[in-house]
Amino acid sequence: MPVISAPHEFNTEDLYVDLRDMYGYPLHLKCEGFNFAGSIKLKAAASMIEAAERSGALTRESTLVESSSGNLGVALSVIAAAKGYHFICVVDARTNLATRKVIESLGSEVHTVTEPAAEGGFLAARLAYVQRLLSGGPRYVWLNQHANPDNWRAHYRTTAPQIEKQFPGLEVLFIGAGTTGTLMGCARYFKDRPRPVTIVAVDSVGSVTFGGPPGPRMVPGLGTGVRPALLDTSYVDHVVHVPEADTVRACHTLARGGFLFGGSTGTVVSGALSWLAEHRPGQNATAVAIAPDLGERYLDTVYQSSWVRDVYGIGMDGTPAAPETPSARDTADAQGGDAVDDSHELTELPTGALQS
């Protein structure tokens, strides 16, 4: 058992869930939520803070600022608390309430953007607020996870080598695309190896990351309204776009098997299964998908029956559900009882295509 003096010194790297019995495909899920920040973002946060400290940009007098959909905000809050930094996290209305409370409990400030920008959505609005903070003087330090190379370097140094160690015969790796830090770090690492590994990026329908049309997205974590500066699609072999209703279905299926994962994991698992059915039907491919976080922070959204019904029109079993109506409730009240509530897109990217 390790003995640590700072929260970011601990991270479980070698835990995988074999999903073959649950789904019938040889897919292993790398669990990245077992650390004091609860997600894979602890690696990027530590990497970016350490680089800023080495450069002299970040000092004790500094105030850290960052735009986050949630998980990086928690990770930065954990490290800021341990190191004594003041941190302002800029989130938006889609960020889970539990996540905002965790950030505040760690002593950091939360600013919630309530209206999306006309172009670029909530992400653009968050970044605009960050710029307003930066105009307040040099004490504000923005790590900029969206363009900071120390974001992807964290995964080049840690996440990818650990996967290779555990699965030396790896054939396919599925990675969710948010800032694309995890995607770029792992993709660069495996493309530098002599043996080819197929890199499949998994994104949300409505995200513009890979050139798709913008659309509403309610589950934080994956997808963007502004194309990430870190992204270089020459390292990506395929892209799968997952509708959020399928994200929720995957989360609920995993939960019924006893595994409570976050929304990003549901997206990645759904996309991986879709890709395997299309490209490796009946084959025993050695495949790994990265699970960025766990599910406790999604109890009021992804795992809340009324939220799921109202947003996606499905029940907790994933089947269509009619929205609750006043007449149904009135009828139930009159009778003295309770009211009862009765496709993926695959894209192949030829090598060298869509250079960023």
Side-chain angles (χ1 to χ4, degrees):
M1 183 66 67
V3 176
I4 63 173
S5 57
H8 51 283
E9 294 174 358
F10 173 77
N11 190 56
T12 299
E13 278 279 14
D14 56 355
L15 178 62
Y16 294 79
V17 176
D18 187 345
L19 298 181
R20 186 192 304 264
D21 289 345
M22 188 176 294
Y23 287 107
Y25 286 98
L27 180 65
H28 291 85
L29 198 56
K30 186 180 193 305
C31 302
E32 290 281 355
F34 292 95
N35 56 55
F36 283 95
S39 82
I40 196 171
K41 291 292 189 176
L42 185 62
K43 297 176 182 178
S47 176
M48 292 188 293
I49 285 180
E50 289 165 7
E53 289 173 334
R54 288 194 303 269
S55 72
L58 182 61
T59 69
R60 292 292 182 187
E61 290 71 41
S62 300
T63 293
L64 278 170
V65 297
E66 187 56 80
S67 157
S68 172
S69 62
N71 281 338
L72 183 75
V74 172
L76 288 172
S77 296
V78 166
I79 300 176
K83 290 177 172 278
Y85 291 122
H86 180 217
F87 171 48
I88 302 173
C89 186
V90 183
V91 303
D92 62 56
R94 299 169 303 177
T95 302
N96 299 320
L97 176 61
T99 298
R100 298 200 299 268
K101 287 183 174 179
V102 169
I103 294 172
E104 291 174 334
S105 296
L106 290 164
S108 296
E109 293 184 40
V110 174
H111 176 84
T112 304
V113 172
T114 57
E115 295 293 333
E119 301 229 345
F122 277 111
L123 175 55
R126 296 200 318 253
L127 295 178
Y129 187 81
V130 168
Q131 290 301 322
R132 289 200 290 275
L133 288 176
L134 295 177
S135 68
R139 72 184 180 93
Y140 292 99
V141 176
W142 181 30
L143 297 175
N144 191 5
Q145 63 162 329
H146 307 283
N148 192 326
D150 288 294
N151 184 343
W152 68 258
R153 286 173 185 150
H155 304 288
Y156 191 100
R157 292 192 300 262
T158 62
T159 309
Q162 203 291 322
I163 294 172
E164 184 182 46
K165 177 182 177 182
Q166 188 78 23
F167 295 92
L170 181 68
E171 297 173 66
V172 189
L173 179 60
F174 300 95
I175 313 165
T179 65
T180 68
T182 307
L183 174 63
M184 286 292 96
C186 293
R188 287 174 184 270
Y189 179 88
F190 283 108
K191 294 304 181 184
D192 286 346
R193 308 271 78 77
R195 192 181 59 78
V197 171
T198 299
I199 302 297
V200 181
V202 183
D203 199 8
S204 299
V205 169
S207 167
V208 305
T209 298
F210 294 96
R217 290 175 291 108
M218 298 301 296
V219 179
L222 299 186
T224 63
V226 179
R227 190 176 190 271
L230 294 177
L231 178 62
D232 182 343
T233 57
S234 67
Y235 289 94
V236 179
D237 299 301
H238 297 255
V239 178
V240 182
H241 285 93
V242 177
E244 284 192 340
D246 289 349
T247 291
V248 172
R249 290 185 179 98
C251 285
H252 292 173
T253 298
L254 289 164
R256 288 195 294 273
F259 297 105
L260 196 70
F261 284 108
S264 297
T265 298
T267 302
V268 173
V269 168
S270 182
L273 295 171
S274 175
W275 189 93
L276 289 169
E278 175 78 13
H279 295 274
R280 298 287 193 277
Q283 295 184 27
N284 255 347
T286 302
V288 170
I290 296 177
D293 62 2
L294 301 178
E296 288 88 346
R297 294 172 192 161
Y298 299 82
L299 295 179
D300 291 332
T301 54
V302 170
Y303 295 104
Q304 223 299 326
S305 59
S306 60
W307 187 88
V308 170
R309 182 192 63 232
D310 293 344
V311 174
Y312 304 110
I314 58 176
M316 296 298 280
D317 61 355
T319 60
E324 187 176 3
T325 63
S327 58
R329 181 172 294 279
D330 292 343
T331 300
D333 290 342
Q335 294 174 346
D338 296 322
V340 179
D341 295 326
D342 295 327
S343 147
H344 301 83
E345 302 170 19
L346 300 177
T347 306
E348 183 166 356
L349 298 179
T351 301
L354 296 175
Q355 295 273 354
S356 65

